[in-house]
């Protein structure tokens, strides 16, 4: 939604426990990207975190996240709020080398699983391979190597499941509710 120049994304995660890792992905429309590129009111941050208006520093945008959780016992609601400044860059190499491979891996598995749930197996598999290639490019630390291997294990499990379902559907052994979405 674009209300008074505030871009808002609302998502429902369903059942969440203390052991749940939540993530979300979003894509910006070309209008939003163009507005950001041409907006002269950028916040800038130096490498040491100093916020100023100097044009030689990294362009950033603000991010505000609210996670509202309803407790099963008692019905109480908890609101967790995080505010931050997020760097914005069009330099792919620079961005790739600052990613958190854990976040990227978890978000990718969850997104691919959501695609598979909607019978978009081929798109889900392409998404997993794309993430695999990204994680291979940024695997320069022990931390990233460890989480790359964890991603491989989880992605292979999901991919095997999707291949099995596709094979069953091809053999007519499985009900195909959304055959038009099975790509």
């Amino acid at each position: 939604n674009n209300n008074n120049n505030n871009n808002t994304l609302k998502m429902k995660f369903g059942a969440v426990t203390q052991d749940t890792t939540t993530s979300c992905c979003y894509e910006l429309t070309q209008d939003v990207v163009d507005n950001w590129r041409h907006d002269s009111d950028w916040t800038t941050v130096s490498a040491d975190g100093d916020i100023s208006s100097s044009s030689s520093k990294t362009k950033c945008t603000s991010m505000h996240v609210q996670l509202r959780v309803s407790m099963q016992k008692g019905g109480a609601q908890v609101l967790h709020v995080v505010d931050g400044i997020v760097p914005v860059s069009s330099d792919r190499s620079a961005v790739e080398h600052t990613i958190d491979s854990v976040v990227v891996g978890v978000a990718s598995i969850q997104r691919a699983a959501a695609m598979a749930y909607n019978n978009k197996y081929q798109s889900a598999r392409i998404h997993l391979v794309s993430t695999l290639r990204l994680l291979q490019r940024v695997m320069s630390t022990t931390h990233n190597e460890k989480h790359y291997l964890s991603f491989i294990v989880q992605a292979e499990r999901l991919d095997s499941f999707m291949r099995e379902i596709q094979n069953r559907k091809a053999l007519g052994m499985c009900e195909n509710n959304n055959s038009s979405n099975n790509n």
Side-chain angles (χ1 to χ4, degrees), residues 21-64:
T21 301
T22 59
S23 70
C24 66
C25 299
Y26 60 91
E27 295 179 24
L28 303 175
T29 64
Q30 192 60 48
D31 272 354
V32 171
V33 172
D34 290 342
N35 286 339
W36 276 0
R37 277 195 186 126
H38 302 296
D39 187 359
S40 60
D41 189 26
W42 283 96
T43 301
T44 58
V45 178
S46 66
D48 63 3
D50 180 38
I51 299 173
S52 73
S53 59
S54 169
S55 62
S56 66
K57 298 184 180 182
T58 304
K59 288 184 174 181
C60 297
T61 188
S62 61
M63 181 73 73
H64 175 83

Side-chain angles (χ1 to χ4, degrees), residues 92-101 104 131-145 148:
R92 178 180 175 173
S93 179
V95 171
E96 285 183 354
H97 285 88
T98 61
I99 67 168
D100 185 335
S101 57
V104 171
T131 303
L132 172 75
R133 301 285 187 255
L134 168 63
L135 294 177
Q136 286 172 340
R137 286 193 303 272
V138 303
M139 192 173 44
S140 58
T141 66
T142 305
H143 171 80
N144 284 346
E145 287 177 15
Y148 168 78

Side-chain angles (χ1 to χ4, degrees), residues 119-172:
N119 292 332
K120 296 182 178 182
Y121 303 111
Q122 196 62 28
S123 295
R125 294 177 80 196
I126 290 169
H127 180 71
L128 290 174
V129 169
S130 178
T131 303
L132 172 75
R133 301 285 187 255
L134 168 63
L135 294 177
Q136 286 172 340
R137 286 193 303 272
V138 303
M139 192 173 44
S140 58
T141 66
T142 305
H143 171 80
N144 284 346
E145 287 177 15
K146 175 183 169 190
H147 295 291
Y148 168 78
L149 294 174
S150 295
F151 173 80
I152 295 288
V153 170
Q154 294 303 317
E156 181 55 39
R157 287 179 184 165
L158 179 57
D159 189 57
S160 294
F161 170 77
M162 290 187 294
R163 281 194 314 258
E164 179 66 25
I165 295 297
Q166 282 182 300
N167 288 338
R168 286 182 179 203
K169 286 182 179 184
L171 295 172

